Amino acid sequence: VMMAGTLRGSSMRLKEGQVFAGHTVVRKLGRGGMASVYLATESGFARQVALKILPEDLADEPSFVARFQQEAQTIASLEHPS
């Protein structure tokens, strides 16, 4: 499961143990050209998710936001056979 969001009014880096949008950050997995991805635990469900965060400067660019949202919707529609 992958969740997506933006960080406004703070640095882009989430810290281990920090809660963001109902998810507790476990650790940073990596950073790409558009966003950083963190391993997080979804509160109340005890399952791990990938939390992809778009930086604030790109969150103000409609083309990046549209691409980011489309990617999140595409990933959310995927199902694993197990």
Side-chain angles (χ1 to χ4, degrees), residues 47-62:
R47 66 177 172 181
Q48 292 187 321
V49 298
L51 185 62
K52 187 170 185 176
I53 305 296
L54 185 66
E56 186 173 3
D57 60 328
L58 294 181
D60 292 328
E61 296 288 332

Side-chain angles (χ1 to χ4, degrees), residues 6-26:
T6 60
L7 286 177
R8 291 201 176 270
S10 68
S11 69
M12 186 176 155
R13 186 165 178 85
L14 294 174
K15 295 177 176 57
E16 185 178 314
Q18 182 176 347
V19 176
F20 179 79
H23 299 81
T24 303
V25 175
V26 176

